[in-house]
Amino acid sequence: MELMNLYLPHYQFAEEHSLYVPASPARVIDAANQPEVIDDPIARRLIALRELPNRLAGRLGFASALQQRPAFGLANFTPLGRDGESELAFGLAGRFWQSDYGLVTLADAPAFAALDATGLAKLVLNFTTRPEGQGTRLTTRTRVWCGDDAARRRFTAYWLLIRPASGLIRRRLLRRVHDAAVVMNP
């Protein structure tokens, strides 16, 4: 069973992108697991733009939950696991529609699985690989489950707003993994 289906078998929102990579599945999944590959400068700029109002409020003396925190990134995700050379999964939970993301700190994959999502959204981001021709089909999926109707309504508005940027980030991420896998030592 895919880790995605294990940790988030039901979902209300989903996004999927894929790309052919002329490298083995093992090389591709290894590249997807490198922090420097995941760290995209365009994604950092989009996140900075999203966080700007909250951080500016803090600089002006107003309440800001982001003032003393680093920018949002992969470090905020909980690693959910790796299935050999076929899948890598990460989880995130919170009230993403809030200016500070309303993140819930989760120690590990079992904590993510056990979390009651009432009032929250749970998100799983994964990378999967499958052999294709002389290379690999790399796919990234993002799925979101909202724990109740109120959270779903709030997340829906947020999703409509951020989905174009989210898609751009995912497509750039695939390209970065592609480029890293192609240049990795065999």
Side-chain angles (χ1 to χ4, degrees):
M1 171 183 274
E2 279 190 341
L3 295 168
M4 170 76 73
N5 294 328
L6 177 66
Y7 287 103
L8 205 61
H10 306 288
Y11 54 95
Q12 295 119 335
F13 304 89
E15 184 172 2
E16 179 177 320
H17 303 278
S18 72
L19 180 70
Y20 174 80
V21 183
S24 70
R27 229 160 129 183
V28 172
I29 208 76
D30 285 346
N33 203 23
Q34 295 178 7
E36 65 274 14
V37 171
I38 305 299
D39 183 31
D40 177 38
I42 298 296
R44 279 197 316 269
R45 287 186 193 110
L46 289 169
I47 289 166
L49 182 62
R50 186 228 187 267
E51 293 179 352
L52 181 65
N54 192 298
R55 292 190 185 278
L56 183 58
R59 287 189 197 112
L60 295 174
F62 297 98
S64 169
L66 294 178
Q67 196 59 28
Q68 302 302 318
R69 289 190 349 212
F72 179 83
L74 189 61
N76 296 107
F77 286 77
T78 301
L80 299 178
R82 178 175 173 163
D83 184 5
E85 60 187 46
S86 65
E87 186 182 15
L88 184 61
F90 302 92
L92 188 68
R95 293 172 184 86
F96 309 134
W97 52 89
Q98 291 181 189
S99 64
D100 67 352
Y101 306 100
L103 296 178
V104 175
T105 302
L106 298 164
D108 54 23
F112 180 86
L115 179 68
D116 175 8
T118 302
L120 302 170
K122 290 174 80 172
L123 177 151
V124 173
L125 164 70
N126 82 344
F127 296 94
T128 58
T129 60
R130 66 175 168 76
E132 183 177 295
Q134 297 298 310
T136 300
R137 174 60 52 180
L138 171 65
T139 302
T140 181
R141 292 181 186 89
T142 303
R143 292 181 182 168
V144 179
W145 167 257
C146 297
D148 57 29
D149 286 339
R152 186 183 44 74
R153 283 191 301 276
R154 289 182 181 112
F155 185 80
T156 298
Y158 176 70
W159 181 254
L160 292 172
L161 183 63
I162 62 100
R163 189 161 184 199
S166 175
L168 174 65
I169 290 169
R170 299 305 185 273
R171 288 186 301 276
R172 286 185 55 82
L173 186 54
L174 288 173
R175 177 53 60 184
R176 289 176 64 83
V177 172
H178 170 282
D179 294 349
V182 169
V183 301
M184 283 175 73
N185 293 326

